[in-house]
Amino acid sequence: MSQNCMTNILPQRTPEAMTVDHVVPASTEESVLKEELLLEETLEQQILTFPVYQHFIDSFQKFTSTNTKTLDVVERLYPNLTGATLSGPHKIAYRSQTLYFIDDYHFQFNEITNPDDRDNYSITFLQLGDALSGHKGIVHGGLLATLLDELTCRVGFLNFESKRGVTANLNVNYKQPTKVDSWVCIKCTVFKKIGRKCWVKGDVYLIDETKKFLEDCELLTSCEVLIIEPKWVDQLKH
């Protein structure tokens, strides 16, 4: 959730009389919450009209009819940087449920030395607001790197038996600027896993509201990430 902001002019009070309730009235909290919920509902309705979104929803239903283990994945987004601090109106205004297309074969934690036809990727849709800019009107590259780091790790971790790990190397290539107030889709694909190391490719696409297939949308940013499952993995709590 975004931080609450004071929208009403308050009467003058002495410092001794000031309290948290005075600074952020309950009525203001309720008003901001209603505004955020309304925005989320509006964006929810908007994403449902995108052919590419519907394509992945349909594909996910078909995929999970034969690969059921991916349905057991539990997301832990709150509280964290992208799930809380950077979430809200004008920031990450909408974040879809991540769809994991991971073949049951990969939940046996097999090594991957060559790409094959067994799916091992994730899909996430996001609406990025104008408070995430670096240069005016352009989403900050560090924000895109953060999202790519997080989302590639989430799918990469699922290929480790512990389901935990850390980023060892993140290499990002910015191909086109990402404009604020844009809908994007981030696809993260595991292409190699050897022992405690896992390599994942991440791609940020600009959603074209007329396209059904992601490959027909404009590629904005891409990355490759090396993830490791450290020997001290049991110390990782999240």
Side-chain angles (χ1 to χ4, degrees), residues 81-83 86 92 95 124 126-128 132 139-154 170 184 186 188 204 223:
L81 181 62
T82 63
L86 298 177
I92 301 177
R95 177 179 184 151
T124 309
L126 305 107
Q127 205 274 351
L128 305 178
L132 299 175
V139 174
H140 196 295
L143 184 278
L144 294 174
T146 297
L147 288 170
L148 283 166
D149 182 27
E150 177 182 318
L151 293 171
T152 53
C153 280
R154 286 182 180 277
L170 171 64
V184 300
I186 300 182
C188 302
V204 181
C223 76

Side-chain angles (χ1 to χ4, degrees), residues 9 12 26 28-29 33 38 43 49 61 70-71 87 90 94 103 107 109 113 138 144 156 176 186 194 199 237:
I9 298 176
Q12 297 254 339
T28 301
E29 285 188 354
L33 180 59
L38 180 60
L43 294 174
T49 67
Q61 291 175 344
T70 196
L71 293 171
S87 176
H90 305 288
Y94 185 86
D103 193 290
F107 284 102
F109 315 112
T113 55
I138 299 175
L144 294 174
Q176 298 289 339
I186 300 182
I194 300 175
W199 288 261
K237 303 300 182 183

Side-chain angles (χ1 to χ4, degrees), residues 153-207:
C153 280
R154 286 182 180 277
V155 69
F157 291 171
L158 295 174
N159 286 261
F160 295 134
E161 191 166 1
S162 68
K163 294 183 172 55
R164 287 172 288 183
V166 295
T167 302
N169 180 269
L170 171 64
N171 184 21
V172 183
N173 292 305
Y174 299 97
K175 300 177 181 297
Q176 298 289 339
T178 300
K179 303 293 181 63
V180 298
D181 294 323
S182 293
W183 278 97
V184 300
C185 178
I186 300 182
K187 180 178 181 179
C188 302
T189 306
V190 176
F191 63 91
K192 186 177 180 181
K193 175 182 174 286
I194 300 175
R196 292 177 175 269
K197 296 181 179 181
C198 183
W199 288 261
V200 187
K201 183 176 185 289
D203 293 311
V204 181
Y205 291 90
L206 176 67
I207 295 304

